[in-house]
Amino acid sequence: MEIKHGKRLEMKQQPEFDLQKRVCSYLRAAYPDVLFMSDTIASLKLTKQQAIRNSQIQKPGFKTPDVIVFEPRGKFAGLFIELKVITPFKLNGELKADKHIQEQAESINKLIERGYHASFQWDFNVIVRLIKWYLKLN
């Protein structure tokens, strides 16, 4: 909570960003030599000018996953994880009919086609198991 001019301002809840921080903290602690980065642009409130500048340097239509591990393992060139706080799938296994999720899925598929391991993930414990599995590949 932040106090400004004697008033309490409630910080906006950002559960996906909180999950992202947990995953990155885990990677730093458990694998200090592993190269990774985390896409932070989605959690920022950009000014109009910043949004324009950002759009000028991004690939149109490509949604960068939240966590990228720059370590080739097994048959994969790297690991990309798109974080969610709840599953992006319906009970029948289909993706939810959300334009943003559909665009993210297209980006994930393009990464898979290029030899990366990429997926949606929404449970911290499952994410940790995925990272451990991936980094143990020869």
Side-chain angles (χ1 to χ4, degrees), residues 20-80:
Q20 192 171 2
K21 287 190 303 186
R22 284 184 71 197
V23 171
C24 292
S25 292
Y26 169 76
L27 275 165
R28 277 192 303 275
Y31 301 97
D33 296 330
V34 165
L35 299 177
F36 77 94
M37 70 168 282
S38 188
D39 181 38
T40 58
I41 205 73
S43 65
L44 299 176
K45 176 89 169 138
L46 300 178
T47 66
K48 185 176 181 179
Q49 183 63 31
Q50 289 169 327
I52 291 168
R53 287 183 64 173
N54 186 59
S55 71
Q56 293 171 340
I57 60 172
Q58 299 300 321
K59 170 93 174 139
F62 183 77
K63 304 296 182 197
T64 305
D66 297 306
V67 178
I68 305 165
V69 177
F70 298 102
E71 300 288 338
R73 291 290 193 276
K75 65 179 184 175
F76 303 109
L79 174 64
F80 288 75

Side-chain angles (χ1 to χ4, degrees), residues 91-135:
L91 291 176
N92 66 5
E94 293 177 12
L95 273 176
K96 293 177 180 173
D98 175 278
K99 182 182 178 204
H100 185 68
I101 290 174
Q102 296 287 334
E103 289 172 342
Q104 289 173 323
E106 289 174 22
S107 296
I108 286 171
N109 289 332
K110 288 177 183 176
L111 290 164
I112 292 168
E113 290 169 3
R114 286 162 174 80
Y116 297 97
H117 190 288
S119 63
F120 286 106
Q121 297 296 325
W122 54 93
D123 178 278
F124 179 75
N125 294 322
V126 173
I127 295 165
V128 167
R129 285 195 300 272
L130 170 64
I131 291 168
K132 286 179 180 180
W133 167 82
Y134 179 81
L135 291 174

Side-chain angles (χ1 to χ4, degrees), residues 1-3 8-15 17-18 21:
M1 186 176 337
E2 182 181 335
I3 298 177
R8 289 183 173 183
L9 300 176
E10 293 294 325
M11 298 295 285
K12 181 180 174 189
Q13 294 288 322
Q14 295 183 309
F17 180 67
D18 293 339
K21 287 190 303 186

